[in-house]
Amino acid sequence: MKTPRLILILADQLSTANPALALADRKRDVILLAEVAEEATYVRHNRHKIVLLFSAMRHFAKDLEDQGFSVQYVPFDQGVSSLKDACRKTLDATDCGEVIICEPGEYRLSSAMKSWSPELGVPVAVLEDSRFLASHAQFETWASGRKQLRMEYFYRDMRRQYGVLLDGGEPCGGKWNYDSDNRVGWRGQCDIPPRPDVEPDSITQEVIALVNDRFPDNPGDLSQFRLAVTAADAKKQFEWFCDHALANFGTYQDALVEESPWVFHSLISMYLNCGLLEPLAVCRQVEEAWRQERCSLSAAEGFIRQVLGWREYVRGIYWLLMPEYATRNTFDARRPLPSFFWTGDTDLRCLEKAITQSLDLGYAHHIQRLMVIGNFALLAGLDVDAVCAWYLAVYVDAYEWVELPNTAGMALHADNGAMASKPYAASGKYIQKQGNHCKSCRFNPSKTTGEGACPFNSLYWHFVDRHADYLGKNARMGLILANWRKRDPVEQDSIKAWAESVLEAL
Ligand code: FAD
Ligand code: DLZ
């Protein structure tokens, strides 16, 4: 009889496609899942995230047991401090002679695992995470020799590789990208259907009680916990999206909406990121919906670009450029995070809405994260590390491989433009154009200085002015800089002085 192996499954790897699980021999091997303090506390995770992961782990472990696997489950109350300690205890209690793990999604844990084998005294095999659609080697090959790593070209290769939305090798409809159709601002054009809730079952209720008790200071209002915790329920949620929201997803992808935290977004990042949904399957399902004429091509392409394009691309950037990537700070942004990031207590309506729902629900859609909260942090020069730590803490779907490139790279342009060809900086006019928050706001997006002026406006010009040298090297910023430079110096001074007063008030 061969020596049994210990298969460690992390909380964000709850998938039958997990390569470590795929290797498991149910007659011989031991599967370990562990709720541990180190992972639960390395940032102040949103309570929704902890409940989702612990409850999904408990359901997943039960399923594996029902399938005949031998499962060791370490609940949080056992007080095991780290994943390594959980492995050590299981090795001591069993005959396992090797540990097998699918690679973790964060550099922090991946580098710690390098010393596990000598520390545990057994071989530790770390397998590449085949749940992603672009391997590390593939991304490195794609990136090598390129001056610019633009998502669009990577995305086209992924479409070709997986045969998604192709017609005889060419993009369906004749264009690769329908982004220009996906920027309509919200003016209450149609009804937004209410989201179907998943009622917490007894396992989830038990976890909610545990998390309320053990994580009293973390963000997250658990009376509103309605997430799926099994693959079957996550699939149902996604099917609801395909039937009721996908048709409007493309059109209102960039809309900022006073009356809905979700608009027509899919709400699946938390499931994709922990393994309850598979990225290629959701793309194929959306393509099928288009082929059955249940949505437009721009809706289907807009969705598929996010999953097959952006999601794989940001992961590629992360592993290509870490650990140096985490130290970048193009604009030397170091202003402390204002306290309203942890309370939502600000008079800026768009920020208040986006931050409050982020704290309470652990969710904000892309334009809230990028063009409201991220844009504010960029313009105000908020400390890059503090902003990244905030994003990692508040969202249910946050893991560093996806959070860091999006925050430091896309939102804060702290990575010297590795990801984005120009900073995503915008004034209050953009926010007004994209939605209806300004109507309920005490600030006026048409005013730049003086009582009632929208702070985004003066901060925008302050940002352009203080980084004029850097922005001047970017052809795409030429027009904006020229606009700023041709303004009357007295007017420039008054805008800058007003921005300074806004910054001081933070
Ligand atoms: P939809 O709008 O319905 O999009 C469908 C799917 O596409 C998402 O579920 C997601 O898996 C994928 N996707 C879309 N945009 C991106 C992107 N830029 N990067 C990676 N995947 C993408 N996403 C995370 O999963 N975790 C994070 O920690 C995270 N942090 C972010 C921080 C900032 C500053 C920004 C600007 C974006 C961040 N994103 C993050 C990306 C994106 O905002 C979320 O994936 C999306 O809002 C999740 O909501 P949804 O499932 O309704 O997405
Ligand atoms: C995020 C998280 C939390 C809150 N708790 C656990 C845990 O108790 N056990 C576990 O295996 N994983 C947890 N995780 C997810 C890990 O932090 C994640 O696997 C790494 O950050 C790598 O992506």
Side-chain angles (χ1 to χ4, degrees), residues 9-12 34-36 39-40 42 45 49-50 53-54 57 83 104-106 108-109 399 401:
I9 296 182
L10 307 182
D12 53 348
E35 298 170 6
V36 297
E39 295 308 311
Y42 72 91
H45 299 286
K49 179 179 177 187
I50 307 178
L53 295 183
F54 285 7
M57 283 167 84
L83 290 167
E106 298 193 344
R108 164 190 69 83
L109 192 53
Y399 302 89
W401 65 265

Side-chain angles (χ1 to χ4, degrees), residues 32-51:
L32 170 64
L33 292 103
E35 298 170 6
V36 297
E38 200 167 86
E39 295 308 311
T41 58
Y42 72 91
V43 290
R44 213 148 58 93
H45 299 286
N46 195 300
R47 285 190 271 196
H48 285 256
K49 179 179 177 187
I50 307 178
V51 172

Side-chain angles (χ1 to χ4, degrees), residues 438-487:
C438 300
K439 280 191 178 161
S440 322
C441 186
R442 85 169 174 83
F443 297 111
N444 181 350
S446 305
K447 268 185 93 176
T448 302
T449 57
E451 183 48 35
C454 172
F456 275 101
N457 291 339
S458 59
L459 289 181
Y460 176 75
W461 291 118
H462 194 270
F463 170 80
V464 169
D465 184 72
R466 70 181 189 269
H467 300 299
D469 286 348
Y470 178 90
L471 301 177
K473 293 181 199 132
N474 185 328
R476 297 188 62 200
M477 296 301 292
L479 195 62
I480 287 158
L481 261 180
N483 274 342
W484 174 243
R485 284 179 172 145
K486 74 178 180 225
R487 287 199 181 200

Side-chain angles (χ1 to χ4, degrees), residues 195 241 249 253 262 264-270 272-273 302-303 305-308 310-312 314-315 363-371 374 391-392 395-408 410-412 419:
R195 292 275 155 177
F241 164 75
F249 170 83
Q253 201 175 338
W262 304 290
F264 297 103
H265 289 269
S266 67
L267 262 77
I268 58 161
S269 49
M270 62 296 259
L272 286 171
N273 295 355
F303 177 88
R305 185 174 355 111
Q306 308 311 317
V307 178
L308 193 58
W310 280 110
R311 186 170 184 273
E312 296 292 328
V314 298
R315 177 180 183 259
Y363 180 82
H365 63 72
H366 189 66
I367 292 302
Q368 291 178 303
R369 296 189 204 198
L370 182 65
M371 299 309 296
Y391 274 93
L392 192 60
Y395 292 109
V396 187
D397 56 22
Y399 302 89
E400 200 186 61
W401 65 265
V402 53
E403 172 276 320
L404 185 69
N406 271 300
T407 310
M410 205 184 311
L412 303 182
M419 269 183 66

Side-chain angles (χ1 to χ4, degrees), residues 3-232:
T3 314
R5 295 148 329 162
L6 175 56
I7 314 271
L8 172 65
I9 296 182
L10 307 182
D12 53 348
Q13 301 177 341
L14 307 177
S15 156
T16 47
N18 178 327
L21 184 58
L23 278 185
D25 176 343
R26 65 187 80 184
K27 293 206 188 73
R28 165 164 72 114
D29 297 328
V30 176
I31 313 283
L32 170 64
L33 292 103
E35 298 170 6
V36 297
E38 200 167 86
E39 295 308 311
T41 58
Y42 72 91
V43 290
R44 213 148 58 93
H45 299 286
N46 195 300
R47 285 190 271 196
H48 285 256
K49 179 179 177 187
I50 307 178
V51 172
L52 167 68
L53 295 183
F54 285 7
S55 182
M57 283 167 84
R58 291 176 187 205
H59 284 88
F60 193 73
K62 198 166 163 295
D63 268 5
L64 291 178
E65 265 171 356
D66 292 346
Q67 290 168 40
F69 285 99
S70 160
V71 179
Q72 292 280 322
Y73 195 90
V74 178
F76 195 71
D77 276 342
Q78 264 184 27
V80 174
S81 64
S82 66
L83 290 167
K84 188 175 67 192
D85 280 354
C87 285
R88 182 179 288 122
K89 283 189 173 34
T90 313
L91 287 170
D92 289 348
T94 63
D95 297 329
C96 292
E98 183 185 357
V99 177
I100 302 181
I101 319 169
C102 166
E103 63 178 331
E106 298 193 344
Y107 189 85
R108 164 190 69 83
L109 192 53
S110 168
S111 36
M113 275 181 187
K114 297 214 162 81
S115 60
W116 279 21
S117 177
E119 286 165 10
L120 293 173
V122 294
V124 174
V126 180
L127 311 178
E128 175 144 12
D129 193 343
S130 50
R131 296 173 305 145
F132 286 92
L133 303 172
S135 67
H136 298 310
Q138 181 186 342
F139 195 83
E140 276 165 30
T141 307
W142 175 79
S144 74
R146 279 175 199 263
K147 270 221 278 225
Q148 292 189 318
L149 304 180
R150 293 293 165 249
M151 197 289 294
E152 180 62 26
Y153 299 106
F154 170 78
Y155 164 58
R156 291 179 191 181
D157 286 356
M158 294 295 280
R159 290 259 299 270
R160 289 192 194 97
Q161 182 181 341
Y162 286 96
V164 176
L165 287 181
L166 290 188
D167 211 352
E170 293 302 312
C172 290
K175 277 199 318 185
W176 288 104
N177 186 315
Y178 290 83
D179 197 22
S180 54
D181 297 349
N182 295 346
R183 293 179 193 145
V184 176
W186 184 251
R187 298 290 178 267
Q189 291 91 330
C190 53
D191 288 338
I192 299 174
R195 292 275 155 177
D197 286 344
V198 179
E199 278 304 315
D201 65 7
S202 59
I203 295 180
T204 302
Q205 282 172 19
E206 206 173 289
V207 175
I208 289 175
L210 167 86
V211 173
N212 271 329
D213 181 43
R214 302 297 292 274
F215 300 90
D217 299 326
N218 291 39
D221 171 9
L222 289 182
S223 69
Q224 301 190 58
F225 186 88
R226 294 292 181 272
L227 296 174
V229 293
T230 62

